[in-house]
Amino acid sequence: MAKIFCVANQKGGVGKTTTTVNLAAGLAMLKQRVLLVDLDPQGNATMGAGINKATLTASIYEVLLGMSDVKTARLTSDTGKFDVLPANRELAGAEVEMVELERRETRLKDALATVADDYDFVLIDCPPALSMLTLNGLCAANGVIIPMQCEYYALEGLSDLVNTIKKVHANLNPDLKIIGLLRVMFDPRMTLSQQVSAQLEQHFGDKVFKTIIPRNVRLAEAPSYGVPGVCFDAASKGAQAYINFGAEMVERIKTI
C-alpha cells in the first residue's frame, strides 16, 4: 500500500512544487514507485515533470468530478521516471463544482484508493491556500510534509497551517499527522536563517528533517526545461540535497 503525503504550506513561494517534483524524482532514483498528484490549477508540477498541461486529454479535474479515473488520467514523466496525475487551469473550476457533490472532501482519497497497490509513495502538491482542493489533499494523506523558508513570516504562517492540520485530524482524517518540516532555500550566511532554523529544531524536535535544501540556481533553472532538478544537474548542491531527502523519507516511513 502506498504512503500518501501532502506537500503543503498556506504561504506561497516557499518551494512546495520544487520539493514535490524533486522528491518524486529522488525517490524514483532510489527505485521507489512514485505517483505525483498535481492539485494546483497552475499546473507547475505537471510542467516541471516534463508534461505539457496544454495538451492533456484527461487530468485530475476529471478524476475529482468522476468523469475519469486515475489509471486513465495518469501519465509518466520521461525525465523523472515517475507517474503524474496532471493538472491545468480547468482544475480551478472544480472548487465550485465540487460544492454540490457527495463526499466532496474525500473524492481524491477515494480515487487514489484504486491505485494504492501500484505505488510506494504518492506525493500531493497542494495549492497555497486552504481550499476545497487542499482539503481533499489533507483528507487523502497519511501525513504532511511542510517546506518552509527560515524567515520570520514563515513562522507566522506555520502556526496557521498546524492549526488547520489539527482541525482536519480531529474532524475528517484521524490518520493525518505532520511527517516533518523541510528547510528550503536555506542561506547559511544569513543570521536570521540560522536563528529560525534553531527555533524550529527547539520547538519541533525530530519533526524537523535533518536534510536542508540550499538556495540553488540549478534547481530554479530546471523547470523551464521540463526536467526535475535532481535529473537536470545531479551534481549540484540542490540536487544532492533532494536525493538525500528522498533517502531520509524512505527511512522515516519505516517508523510511521
Side-chain angles (χ1 to χ4, degrees), residues 10-24:
Q10 285 161 251
K11 191 173 183 295
V14 295
K16 288 187 296 297
T17 299
T18 299
T19 293
T20 311
V21 172
N22 284 291
L23 176 57

Side-chain angles (χ1 to χ4, degrees), residues 49-160:
I51 294 166
N52 187 349
K53 64 184 179 184
T55 60
L56 299 178
T57 54
S59 70
I60 192 168
Y61 170 77
E62 284 82 8
V63 171
L64 289 174
L65 295 180
M67 297 184 285
S68 183
D69 57 29
V70 177
K71 290 182 179 180
T72 303
R74 67 186 174 188
L75 299 168
T76 299
S77 167
D78 292 330
T79 54
K81 309 303 180 191
F82 53 86
D83 285 353
V84 180
L85 185 51
N88 56 21
R89 291 284 178 196
E90 281 190 345
L91 186 57
E95 290 278 348
V96 178
E97 295 172 64
M98 286 167 64
V99 170
E100 304 293 326
L101 300 177
E102 290 183 10
R103 293 175 59 83
R104 60 188 181 186
E105 297 95 351
T106 59
R107 294 186 77 82
L108 179 61
K109 180 179 182 179
D110 296 341
L112 291 176
T114 63
V115 295
D117 292 332
D118 295 352
Y119 300 102
D120 301 304
F121 285 89
V122 176
L123 304 175
I124 304 171
D125 184 31
C126 290
L130 182 58
S131 59
M132 183 59 68
L133 293 173
T134 302
L135 200 55
N136 261 265
L138 293 173
C139 286
N142 303 117
V144 184
I145 298 166
I146 306 174
M148 62 176 296
Q149 291 172 262
C150 290
E151 56 184 36
Y152 175 73
Y153 288 124
L155 287 176
E156 294 255 303
L158 180 61
S159 60
D160 293 338

